Amino acid sequence: MNALVNLLGRSVYAGPALAGFGALFFIGLVITVAGFDPIAALSALLSQSLGSVNGISEVLVRTIPLTLTGLGITVAFRARMFNVGGDGQIIFGAIAFVGCGLLFPTLTGWLLLPLAVIAGILGGAVWGGIAGILRARYNASEIIVTIMLTYVAFQGLAWAIRGPLQESSGIFPRSEAIPEAIKLGLLLDGSRLHWGLFIALGATVAVTLALRYTSFGYRLDAIGESPLAARYGGIGDRATVILSLAVSGGLAGLAGAVEIAGVHGRLHDAFAEGTGITAIAVALLARLNPIFVPLSAAMFAVLSVGVGGLQRQLGIPFPLVHIIEGIVILAFLVATRLQRDAVEG
Amino acid sequence: MAPASVTAPKPASRPVLELNGITKRFGALAANDDITLALGRGEVLGLLGENGAGKSTLMNILAGLILPDAGEILIEGRLARIAAPRDAVSLGIGMVHQHFMIVPTLSVAENIALGNRTLRPLPLDLSGVRAKIRQITDDLGLPLDPDAATARLTVGEQQRVEIVKALSRDARILILDEPTAVLTRDEASGLFDAVKALAQTGVSVILISHKLEDIFAVCDRVAVLRRGRKVHETSTKDTDADGLVLAMVGESITAPAARRNSPPGKLLLELDGVALRRGDGSTAVDGVSFDLHAGEILAVAGIEGNGQRELAEAIAGLQPPEAGRIVYDGKVHTRGTRTMELRRRGLRLVPEDRHAAGMLVDKSLRENQLLSHLHARRYNRAGWLKRRSAARDAQTVIADFDVRATSSNAVMRSLSGGNQQKMVLGRELADGLRLLIAAHPTRGLDVRTIAFIQRQLLDLRDRGIAILLISSDLGEIWQFADRILVFGGGRAHGPIGVTETTPSEIGAWMAGHA
Amino acid sequence: MLDQVFFVGLLASAFRFAAPLMFAALGETVAQRAGVLNVGLEGIMLVGAFLAVLGAWWTGSPWGGLLLAMLGGAAMAGLHAFLSITLRADQIISGIAMIVLGLGISGYGFRLTLGAMSPAPTIPAFAPLKLWGLAKLPIVGPILFGQHLLVYLALIIAVALHVFLYRTRWGLDLRAVGEMPAAADAAGISVQAARYSSVIFGGAMAAMGGAYLSTAQLSGFVENMVSGRGFIAIACVVFGRWSPIGAVAAALFFGAAEAAQVRLQTLNPDIPYQFFVMMPYLLAVIFLIFLARRSRMPAALGVPFMPPR
């Protein structure tokens, strides 16, 4: 172990490089053990996701919610708050967005779209903020609370689209379509790629600047590193904790609103399946640096889109995607740990 | 110049312990550099040196907590391999650490039974342990209840647990690491009596301390460490305080400038009947009343754990007091009083635990400059941070305070303790400071930095800043304070002018005698 | 009709629903008492559920499935232990990796094996015991004597762990490791060994909980069937104040809540059923609120230990 650490100590990049190769090795192993050819799998994955205009546009579509939610996870992580309930916040934000849109269908688009988007952000912020309040006041683990709230949100969505928000025909469990005025237009005809891409990129810039140059960003880092020093320095740790989870939820809520506005056009079951969990891997791969989140999100989007091709062409089951996410998280852990040892030793 | 210690007087009988050429490096720092020592049976050896001289490192090697890079250890003339604490225990070495290794949720007997392989695993029967505890405490005259909850014991009693623990494992070499740091004077003399009784029974004792009075009270011989090396060794009968100090420090320290006695200025802080509670709910101190004016240093003396930390937190707005009133610059502290607001108004704090509460160790110096100053408009304009101002100010502190750092981009962790404290102090001195609470500001630092910080505090006082100095170092208090407030026995005594009292009166108050 | 039949059925079901939580919470209690946090129970339970079904099908007996599940759980926990203890990496992130890995491995493995078979194979499962006809006793019969063997096993393990923690030398050492590993280390105890064994035990137990789900409570594996129980189990540990008996009591509480929720649905057909399904999750949140202040968690929980040498 010591010899390995000494070797890695020569370069700060050795740790991540080793972890990266290790990850690829284990992913290949998992594929091979199941009787598939990893090279064929890789080429199928790449051709499905990047081999056509359609594929690339699908990747970008998938990148949008992953970026927004990933940014949210990053903000919370900076304060060492683990927001595992991104999915619930996405759902709540989407419900708030659709609800607002359906409530005021006669308002003009210039007014209604921002209003509904703000409703979506607030919806997610509330859902995340609850966890923040419970953590700040009662020291309730935000990991458990956010996950529990996700299950509650799933049930809430299921009820809403079969109940008060259900479309008038009453046949399918889904909401009425949102007014045209608040739909996000397509960037590329014939694909699903929509204007939400710019919202995601804009949010990336905004979060990057906020974390580095605002006092809010500094407070997050301070709380994350040493809550005691932050307290002594006069930084209200309770307020910061609540805000970190509220902002995190708000970004996820925005992701939910954008998904409905750009892709689905209405609420239905399972429209953002697994984004919240994948976003954790996205944030970690981006090393908790918001400027890298879109790139990291794109990589996972490639994975997500490509795995569909794996299933279709080679019969490799879809849950491989989760195995890969898990391996990526582990690789991140190992890499940072080795790096830290190399620096300290 | 330190006297050479070529031929130290060897112990009378065959040494029970020999350390030959022990060396331990941490990175580039040689914590122990080729140290050779011998200890005789029934002898009490003092290990003297400043903070950071390498005393604890050496003893941790002996206790199996650290592995040496070079050198050998001989017990009763036989080579000993001490690779883990278990080995040390089986060789009869027992250590009482400075920071007690006591599990607070367990009872005294359970703590002492911990790791004892001779106990039957199932079911756990502690009656034998209890009997042994009673026997040892009776022999030594240090009473201890085996079934007491250790969390409720006083610090002195907890130390007894550690001593009994070591002895219950049939320790024949007992190491005491800075034992009197947390004891009242009465408790300390009780401890020394116990040590002498132990030595009579043939147990050898090594006493680590930086206090001369400890060494002279109980040790037969003393070895002095400085910067990792043994620089002097002698019998306590053949030396005196000055000789040891010279050996410890190796140079003369410039005494701080004499105090100017100017009349105190405006009333800044007023406490009236304040009661302070600890985290677990017990009352730390009751009935604290004093006032503090600009341009004076009020020292709060007392043994650790008597409410000093709670006092600092209450005044700084971090924790409201149990009862009473605190008034800063005319405004009463309320539940809504926020620390940042007080800082803006000039009330700042250098915390006692600088690592955990005073800095962000993994952040750069320039980023640390922002830590307690988010209220300052020069750093924070409506939420937008002016990082360049912070970087410039950090650079100024580095220059003015002679901080050894590569640049303001260096990470706090890479600085030595003394330099870290200088950065913390420098940060708090930013404009607008009117009242500074300095909690144990010189604890654990090297002599030069201590002198520097003390000079800074005096300088602040002369410029009209009010200083509340919390310290357990009576010498420091005597030299710098104008008035003294003593926390002890749950009460506050004073404040009283330094010229109107004596160290023994202060010592009595610290021990809790009215 | 809230009559005797209702309550008897409720309590009997409570044990049934509580069993997976009991196993997972008991295991996690031991691990947390040693100072290691494992939030990845959800993933380990899923892997346990899948491996139990696979093993039962392979060997023709649910006990084979149980064994395979325990091995799988121990292996996953071993990985978490390596990351948390030897590498001293962030225990929460490692746990999150376990969740995701468990989700992936169970789904991937299932679709490659049993899920690909058609018709779906029948899985040998555990049957509830009928202890010497005592199950026929009124009231106490079904509640106390008509459960699966695994439920009794969980209760026995709970008592055994209580004895272990408070009445044996190993339990004393373990508690010290979780409160102040430096003191335990100075006393000669191997902090690493204690933590490794606790975490691996916790993993095996969590997998047993998953196995119960797929081979006793239900008969077969469905993807994502654990549905958050892994997290509720962690809430049980907190609610139970890190004691084995407390964890079981908390699990029973949740089991009763889940049993009640199902019954209340049929009793109140006008209230949308989704609100009842939400109940156990909201209950977990409420637990955390009311019991956070009063409990004392092991002081060194989640903090990696590095011996100073």
Side-chain angles (χ1 to χ4, degrees):
Chain A
M1 193 66 199
N2 275 329
L4 186 64
V5 171
N6 284 334
L7 178 72
L8 293 169
R10 304 241 196 90
S11 155
V12 183
Y13 294 110
L18 178 76
F21 283 122
L24 287 174
F25 171 75
F26 280 110
I27 296 172
L29 192 68
V30 167
I31 297 176
T32 314
V33 152
F36 303 102
D37 173 11
I39 308 294
L42 183 64
S43 86
L45 186 133
L46 289 176
S47 72
Q48 173 77 10
S49 52
L50 300 172
S52 65
V53 172
N54 196 39
I56 295 180
S57 71
E58 272 303 297
V59 165
L60 289 174
V61 168
R62 197 77 189 98
T63 303
I64 297 169
L66 281 176
T67 299
L68 287 168
T69 314
L71 287 171
I73 308 268
T74 302
V75 168
F77 250 58
R78 288 286 194 115
R80 271 196 71 81
M81 288 293 121
F82 295 92
N83 180 5
V84 195
D87 282 319
Q89 292 142 20
I90 289 176
I91 289 174
F92 222 71
I95 293 178
F97 175 77
V98 169
C100 182
L102 294 178
L103 213 57
F104 307 112
T106 50
L107 282 180
T108 104
W110 288 114
L111 211 57
L112 188 58
L113 180 59
L115 193 65
V117 166
I118 289 175
I121 295 176
L122 285 177
V126 162
W127 216 234
I130 294 177
I133 293 175
L134 294 182
R135 170 73 199 242
R137 273 218 64 190
Y138 303 104
N139 205 30
S141 157
E142 74 279 4
I143 298 176
I144 299 180
V145 173
T146 51
I147 287 259
M148 293 294 109
L149 287 179
T150 297
Y151 284 104
V152 172
F154 274 131
Q155 295 302 316
L157 174 68
W159 165 70
I161 56 179
R162 291 168 177 77
L165 287 178
Q166 188 171 27
E167 56 178 0
S168 37
S169 66
I171 308 174
F172 297 111
R174 59 184 195 182
S175 77
E176 204 66 69
I178 56 178
E180 278 303 315
I182 60 172
K183 286 195 185 165
L184 289 170
L186 291 177
L187 280 176
L188 192 67
D189 281 323
S191 77
R192 297 200 303 166
L193 185 57
H194 56 93
W195 282 89
L197 184 64
F198 292 106
I199 296 181
L201 292 175
T204 302
V205 172
V207 170
T208 307
L209 289 177
L211 286 185
R212 178 143 171 83
Y213 290 109
T214 64
S215 79
F216 174 64
Y218 187 85
R219 283 167 213 251
L220 284 179
D221 280 348
I223 296 273
E225 184 172 327
S226 173
L228 186 62
R231 236 186 92 224
Y232 267 71
I235 296 173
D237 52 344
R238 278 194 178 177
T240 308
V241 161
I242 297 175
L243 267 178
S244 73
L245 283 166
V247 168
S248 184
L251 283 162
L254 179 60
V258 165
E259 269 302 274
I260 302 294
V263 177
H264 301 275
R266 62 178 70 209
L267 286 173
H268 55 78
D269 281 320
F271 66 85
E273 201 68 41
T275 305
I277 302 287
T278 306
I280 297 177
V282 167
L284 289 177
L285 185 64
R287 312 270 285 192
L288 297 183
N289 188 347
I291 201 75
F292 291 134
V293 166
L295 186 63
S296 171
M299 289 172 71
F300 278 97
V302 164
L303 191 65
S304 178
V305 171
V307 165
L310 287 184
Q311 180 151 317
R312 225 191 333 271
Q313 293 175 36
L314 298 174
I316 302 182
F318 186 80
L320 176 68
V321 109
H322 294 303
I323 298 182
I324 295 179
E325 283 167 12
I327 292 179
V328 166
I329 298 178
L330 291 179
F332 160 82
L333 263 188
V334 170
T336 39
R337 191 75 206 119
L338 290 178
Q339 251 193 352
R340 206 184 319 164
D341 279 350
V343 165
E344 276 175 11
Chain B
M1 282 301 294
S5 64
V6 173
T7 44
K10 282 281 185 266
S13 53
R14 189 223 173 80
V16 70
L17 168 71
E18 283 166 271
L19 297 168
N20 290 328
I22 300 290
T23 302
K24 175 70 185 178
R25 287 205 153 71
F26 291 115
L29 175 70
N32 288 150
D33 195 349
D34 194 30
I35 299 189
T36 297
L37 272 183
L39 178 69
R41 186 181 314 280
E43 183 181 30
V44 182
L45 172 70
L47 202 55
L48 181 67
E50 293 196 284
N51 291 312
K55 318 184 290 290
S56 285
T57 305
L58 187 65
M59 290 301 107
N60 280 332
I61 290 175
L62 190 54
L65 288 165
I66 302 181
L67 296 167
D69 295 327
E72 53 181 29
I73 302 174
L74 294 149
I75 308 273
E76 304 268 359
R78 277 193 304 274
L79 199 59
R81 264 208 79 239
I82 307 180
R86 206 180 315 160
D87 300 333
V89 170
S90 61
L91 287 167
I93 301 172
M95 181 150 176
V96 175
H97 304 262
Q98 200 175 353
H99 302 291
F100 301 144
M101 301 283 195
I102 290 182
V103 182
T105 50
L106 301 179
S107 73
V108 169
E110 285 174 326
N111 264 286
I112 291 179
L114 208 54
N116 186 343
R117 294 280 152 89
T118 64
L119 281 178
R120 199 155 33 115
L122 171 78
L124 185 62
D125 181 11
L126 295 177
S127 51
V129 175
R130 287 197 193 93
K132 194 152 194 193
I133 295 174
R134 291 209 183 86
Q135 179 216 324
I136 296 175
T137 54
D138 285 342
D139 284 349
L140 289 183
L142 298 173
L144 199 60
D145 174 14
D147 292 310
T150 49
R152 295 210 195 199
L153 296 178
T154 67
V155 177
E157 287 168 325
Q158 287 182 352
Q159 195 186 61
R160 275 179 225 161
V161 173
E162 289 284 273
I163 295 175
V164 173
K165 193 198 303 183
L167 295 174
S168 75
R169 296 189 185 138
D170 300 321
R172 300 196 303 125
I173 301 170
L174 184 67
I175 308 170
L176 300 171
D177 191 352
E178 303 278 3
T180 60
V182 294
L183 298 181
T184 64
R185 214 183 277 183
D186 283 345
E187 287 173 328
S189 67
L191 174 67
F192 294 145
D193 289 339
V195 167
K196 286 181 194 144
L198 261 184
Q200 296 275 16
T201 67
V203 173
S204 314
V205 179
I206 302 179
L207 179 75
I208 304 175
S209 183
H210 66 279
K211 291 198 225 167
L212 294 172
E213 57 262 32
D214 288 357
I215 304 290
F216 284 115
V218 74
C219 297
D220 302 316
R221 284 188 309 132
V222 56
V224 183
L225 295 188
R226 175 158 43 103
R227 303 242 174 92
R229 298 213 172 144
K230 186 182 79 172
V231 294
H232 189 40
E233 188 176 347
T234 178
S235 147
T236 47
K237 290 194 292 292
D238 299 336
T239 186
D240 65 355
D242 292 334
L244 288 183
V245 167
L246 209 48
M248 270 212 298
V249 172
E251 58 185 29
S252 54
I253 321 161
T254 44
R259 309 211 286 279
R260 274 188 341 205
N261 281 318
S262 43
K266 175 177 177 195
L267 172 66
L268 279 179
L269 180 69
E270 216 183 314
L271 264 73
D272 188 17
V274 167
L276 298 166
R277 217 190 240 193
R278 289 194 192 88
D280 60 11
S282 59
T283 305
V285 70
D286 201 355
V288 182
S289 302
F290 65 87
D291 43 78
L292 181 58
H293 298 255
E296 71 165 330
I297 296 181
L298 173 64
V300 177
I303 298 178
E304 236 179 282
N306 274 293
Q308 296 94 317
R309 185 161 53 85
E310 288 77 8
L311 178 72
E313 290 193 342
I315 297 175
L318 290 164
Q319 196 73 254
E322 172 87 4
R325 250 168 42 119
I326 301 179
V327 185
Y328 171 65
D329 199 19
K331 270 175 78 174
V332 181
H333 278 29
T334 64
R335 282 215 154 268
T337 303
R338 296 187 55 230
T339 304
M340 196 162 285
E341 185 54 38
L342 289 172
R343 285 182 167 279
R344 191 198 312 256
R345 289 167 55 208
L347 200 174
R348 310 214 179 124
L349 165 66
V350 172
E352 111 182 30
D353 186 348
R354 68 186 77 102
H355 272 116
M359 62 180 80
L360 299 172
V361 269
D362 286 318
K363 294 254 179 294
S364 69
L365 298 185
R366 51 165 81 177
E367 291 203 305
N368 268 277
Q369 192 67 16
L370 291 164
L371 178 58
S372 47
H373 290 276
L374 289 180
H375 62 268
R377 217 165 295 145
R378 63 196 271 148
Y379 295 150
N380 182 359
R381 283 275 170 80
W384 198 259
L385 291 181
K386 322 222 71 209
R387 284 176 174 261
R388 234 170 295 165
S389 302
R392 248 192 320 241
D393 288 353
Q395 198 55 49
T396 309
V397 172
I398 293 175
D400 289 351
F401 279 32
D402 188 30
V403 174
R404 304 280 161 83
T406 43
S407 77
S408 66
N409 268 322
V411 172
M412 260 293 190
R413 197 189 277 275
S414 64
L415 266 55
S416 74
N419 285 315
Q420 286 174 341
Q421 184 71 320
K422 284 189 203 171
M423 290 303 301
V424 171
L425 186 63
R427 176 183 76 209
E428 299 306 323
L429 261 39
D431 32 280
L433 174 65
R434 300 176 65 201
L435 191 157
L436 181 70
I437 305 172
H440 303 275
T442 58
R443 182 198 278 169
L445 299 179
D446 59 281
V447 175
R448 249 189 239 112
T449 308
I450 292 178
F452 178 87
I453 290 182
Q454 288 171 342
R455 270 198 302 270
Q456 288 299 316
L457 292 179
L458 270 189
D459 186 53
L460 286 174
R461 190 200 76 132
D462 291 342
R463 288 198 283 140
I465 312 287
I467 299 180
L468 187 71
L469 173 69
I470 299 175
S471 175
S472 47
D473 185 343
L474 269 188
E476 177 175 76
I477 293 175
W478 225 261
Q479 269 198 304
F480 300 104
D482 299 312
R483 293 185 295 145
I484 305 180
L485 183 66
V486 183
F487 279 14
R491 294 178 46 210
H493 304 265
I496 186 168
V498 155
T499 46
E500 296 156 31
T501 180
T502 62
S504 48
E505 186 176 37
I506 301 290
W509 284 344
M510 279 166 76
H513 304 312
Chain C
M1 290 162 306
L2 301 183
D3 63 355
Q4 179 182 296
V5 171
F6 176 82
F7 278 114
V8 167
L10 182 73
L11 289 176
S13 292
F15 277 92
R16 229 189 5 258
F17 285 123
L21 292 175
M22 281 195 236
F23 282 111
L26 282 172
E28 181 72 4
T29 298
V30 171
Q32 289 202 9
R33 275 290 195 150
V36 180
L37 187 57
N38 186 356
V39 300
L41 295 182
E42 182 86 359
I44 299 182
M45 284 176 86
L46 273 171
V47 168
F50 162 63
L51 287 178
V53 159
L54 186 68
W57 174 77
W58 262 345
T59 63
S61 149
W63 293 101
L66 186 66
L67 184 64
L68 186 63
M70 287 172 71
L71 287 174
M76 277 188 81
L79 176 61
H80 178 63
F82 174 70
L83 291 161
S84 307
I85 301 170
T86 302
L87 288 189
R88 282 173 289 118
D90 191 314
Q91 293 176 13
I92 295 181
I93 300 181
S94 173
I96 294 177
M98 293 299 122
I99 299 170
V100 180
L101 270 180
L103 192 61
I105 293 175
S106 61
Y108 186 70
F110 178 70
R111 291 199 201 183
L112 284 176
T113 56
L114 297 165
M117 298 177 195
S118 98
T122 39
I123 310 294
F126 289 103
L129 298 182
K130 309 236 190 294
L131 286 180
W132 315 297
L134 283 171
K136 300 241 181 56
L137 282 179
I139 302 178
V140 288
I143 298 175
L144 294 180
F145 299 113
Q147 304 287 354
H148 285 97
L149 177 61
L150 288 179
V151 172
Y152 301 117
L153 189 60
L155 295 172
I156 294 172
I157 292 178
V159 173
L161 282 179
H162 180 90
V163 168
F164 169 79
L165 267 186
Y166 299 112
R167 296 247 186 283
T168 68
R169 198 187 74 211
W170 304 300
L172 178 67
D173 291 354
L174 189 83
R175 283 185 285 141
V177 165
E179 288 290 339
M180 196 177 190
D185 177 57
I189 299 168
S190 166
V191 172
Q192 262 210 353
R195 286 185 166 179
Y196 259 98
S197 44
S198 310
V199 172
I200 291 177
F201 171 77
M205 288 288 284
M208 267 175 98
Y212 176 90
L213 265 180
S214 64
T215 57
Q217 187 168 321
L218 302 165
S219 180
F221 177 81
V222 174
E223 282 182 53
N224 237 317
M225 70 186 299
V226 175
S227 297
R229 285 182 184 78
F231 298 102
I232 297 181
I234 301 178
C236 288
V237 173
V238 176
F239 189 30
R241 313 243 192 128
W242 288 274
S243 84
I245 308 289
V248 164
L252 274 173
F253 205 81
F254 272 108
E258 196 173 334
Q261 172 259 105
V262 169
R263 284 164 174 75
L264 285 174
Q265 275 182 37
T266 47
L267 285 181
N268 295 286
D270 13 300
I271 302 182
Y273 72 92
Q274 289 95 351
F275 287 104
F276 292 108
V277 175
M278 281 185 207
M279 270 173 53
Y281 303 110
L282 289 172
L283 198 63
V285 173
I286 295 174
F287 267 20
L288 289 178
I289 295 176
F290 281 110
L291 290 117
R293 282 264 169 85
R294 253 162 278 149
S295 47
R296 247 202 115 254
M297 65 178 189
L301 183 61
V303 180
F305 174 68
M306 181 163 62
R309 0 192 202 301

